[in-house]
């Protein structure tokens, strides 16, 4: 099994040339066809997250994330939801940077210094570490002053006070189905490529304010 860190399809060509059975997991590579794949639907998860924030009365939602084609579906989902919901693009700014804590901190400062957004969608949990630091340094209270949702489910998001609402990726399910697919491919030889897309889960905790009532978010479920 292989998780791609870029859009370069050369590795695919090499594996095929060597006759090595393989399954791509986590995210597609290149055109996303012609090979076995088990991945998560990143765009759908981002759309549902923005819709959740909108259902809690948020109309000004910022997005900060990793500037990489590898996770571009998350940005695409954010843009799609903003458009579908009729939200203002100006009120829903996007800031992209490197995959690092420092970048997350800088992106959060840039987004929040404008003072417009009531919610921040953090598009990667590594960036989230720096973003949370920036929120604290700015003296912003979560969720009273700012609602926050993080893409990914790091341990620190759960133990933080308040605990952060997150988009949990189906990592275990991807691994299980990917291995099952690979074993089937080894046992049965070449066949038509199979592609499986799994849904992410919005884990609702305490970091989103319900703007309709001014109180903390109503839980869909508890962990």
């Amino acid at each position: 099994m292989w998780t791609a860190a870029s859009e370069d399809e050369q590795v695919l060509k090499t594996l095929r040339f060597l006759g090595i059975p393989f399954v791509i997991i986590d995210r597609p590579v290149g055109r996303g066809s012609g090979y076995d794949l088990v991945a998560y639907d990143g765009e759908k998860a981002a759309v549902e997250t923005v819709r959740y924030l909108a259902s809690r009365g948020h109309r000004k939602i910022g997005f900060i994330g990793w500037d990489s084609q590898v996770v571009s579906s998350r940005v695409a989902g954010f843009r799609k939801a903003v458009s579908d919901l009729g939200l203002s693009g100006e009120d829903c700014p996007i800031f992209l940077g490197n995959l690092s804590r420092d970048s997350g901190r800088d992106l959060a400062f840039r987004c929040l210094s404008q003072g417009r957004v009531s919610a921040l969608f953090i598009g990667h949990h590594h960036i989230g570490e720096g973003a949370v630091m920036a929120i604290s340094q700015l003296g912003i209270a979560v969720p009273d002053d700012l609602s926050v949702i993080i893409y990914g489910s790091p341990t620190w998001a759960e133990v933080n006070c308040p605990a952060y609402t997150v988009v949990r990726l189906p990592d275990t399910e991807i691994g299980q189905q990917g291995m099952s697919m690979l074993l089937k491919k080894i046992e049965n030889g070449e066949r038509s490529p199979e592609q499986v897309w799994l849904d992410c889960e919005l884990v609702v905790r305490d970091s989103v304010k319900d703007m309709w009532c001014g109180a903390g978010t109503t839980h869909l479920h508890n962990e």
Side-chain angles (χ1 to χ4, degrees), residues 23-141:
V23 174
I24 303 297
I25 62 171
D26 201 34
R27 59 181 71 96
V29 180
R31 291 166 295 180
S33 61
Y35 53 79
D36 291 285
L37 171 73
V38 180
Y40 66 90
D41 194 334
E43 180 173 329
K44 180 181 178 182
V47 168
E48 292 179 346
T49 299
V50 176
R51 286 188 176 278
Y52 172 75
L53 288 169
S55 74
R56 295 305 186 267
H58 294 278
R59 307 289 295 177
K60 299 179 179 181
I61 305 166
F63 181 94
I64 63 173
W66 181 21
D67 187 11
S68 171
Q69 188 65 29
V70 170
V71 292
S72 60
S73 62
R74 305 178 185 186
V75 183
F78 180 83
R79 288 196 172 105
K80 175 176 172 53
V82 167
S83 175
D84 290 349
L85 292 168
L87 303 180
S88 166
E90 183 178 345
D91 289 336
C92 297
I94 297 173
F95 296 88
L96 303 177
N98 299 323
L99 187 62
S100 69
R101 177 186 295 179
D102 288 344
S103 179
R105 180 176 176 274
D106 292 342
L107 292 171
F109 273 127
R110 287 171 58 194
C111 182
L112 299 177
S113 64
Q114 298 184 8
R116 292 203 308 266
V117 302
S118 65
L120 181 63
F121 185 7
I122 302 173
H124 199 289
H125 64 92
H126 288 323
I127 286 175
E129 294 179 15
V132 168
M133 292 171 59
I135 290 168
S136 176
Q137 291 171 6
L138 289 169
I140 296 173

